[in-house]
Amino acid sequence: MLVPGQRTRQLKIGEEEMHLLTNGPLEEWRMEVGTRQPETAAWFAKYLKPGNTFYDIGASIGVWSIYAGRIVGAKGTVYSFEAQAVNYATLVVNVVLNAQNDRTVTLPVLLDHTNKVLHLGMPDQSWLFSGAVVPGPRPDAVEVSHTVIVARLDTFRDQYALKRPNLIKIDVDGNEYHCLEGMNMTLKD
């Protein structure tokens, strides 16, 4: 599954250990989010239970998806939403490396307040270290771009019969408001 030059690193959050693919310093920085945010880990431990359904919106390389998958167990479900192509590919590998493909559904979808197809530019990493995606063309240093499906969570959840979430994490680099606008019915459930 790994190609030459790729490596995995071990990460421990609380008592949970995971192995994550890292292709370089950016992925290693993303991976370490679990050790830099103990309050997030405590929030998961308090509110997420075995058998629950968790939505990880802006899953990146999967740190919180894998951690949540350990908590919800084989009878639970994790839906990991990640639109950025490089992060999504790494997320899929990390789910498999941690033997969580029985409970984790990876979805290359950008959740927003509209339903459409969008050309997504990814800025030069020196411009924005977080690797955030930038809708539309940019005048500065767009190195890679791709097309993504953009969906309201309410629409997507109904169309594909996703389970109702017990807990939702959103980290979409400034697009949180639009993401929340697209999940009014989900939040009312």
Side-chain angles (χ1 to χ4, degrees):
M1 173 175 9
L2 299 177
V3 296
Q6 291 181 314
R7 65 187 184 124
T8 61
R9 286 193 44 204
Q10 185 175 357
L11 175 67
K12 188 171 183 179
I13 302 175
E15 298 301 315
E16 300 298 333
E17 292 184 10
M18 60 186 79
H19 296 276
L20 298 166
L21 173 66
T22 60
N23 294 315
L26 182 59
E27 283 87 5
E28 290 182 14
W29 180 82
R30 287 187 178 129
M31 180 186 100
E32 292 167 1
V33 70
T35 58
R36 289 192 313 266
Q37 297 180 357
E39 65 283 352
T40 303
W43 178 72
F44 278 61
K46 182 175 181 179
Y47 294 107
L48 201 56
K49 305 295 179 215
N52 278 178
T53 298
F54 174 69
Y55 286 18
D56 189 355
I57 301 172
S60 187
I61 64 170
V63 172
W64 295 119
S65 291
I66 294 164
Y67 184 66
R70 297 278 166 82
I71 296 171
V72 302
K75 293 186 179 183
T77 304
V78 173
Y79 291 104
S80 301
F81 297 88
E82 178 56 53
Q84 200 263 8
V86 175
N87 286 351
Y88 181 77
T90 305
L91 166 67
V92 171
V93 171
N94 286 336
V95 167
V96 173
L97 282 174
N98 288 278
Q100 293 204 8
N101 38 329
D102 65 335
R103 68 197 75 168
T104 303
V105 179
T106 59
L107 300 160
V109 176
L110 191 154
L111 294 177
D112 195 62
H113 65 293
T114 61
N115 296 305
K116 61 186 173 185
V117 174
L118 176 71
H119 179 78
L120 196 60
M122 294 178 292
D124 172 30
Q125 296 305 318
S126 63
W127 177 79
L128 186 60
F129 187 68
S130 74
V133 293
V134 180
R138 290 193 54 88
D140 60 333
V142 172
E143 294 180 349
V144 180
S145 63
H146 60 95
T147 304
V148 297
I149 294 171
V150 178
R152 293 176 52 85
L153 179 58
D154 291 340
T155 306
F156 193 84
R157 186 175 153 228
D158 289 344
Q159 185 172 0
Y160 296 101
L162 303 185
K163 296 177 185 176
R164 183 185 62 76
N166 298 97
L167 194 65
I168 300 172
K169 182 220 49 123
I170 305 172
D171 183 359
V172 290
D173 296 325
N175 198 46
E176 287 82 1
Y177 179 76
H178 291 302
C179 186
L180 286 166
E181 283 184 312
M183 63 174 73
N184 291 328
M185 298 309 297
T186 298
L187 294 174
K188 288 179 184 176
D189 281 354

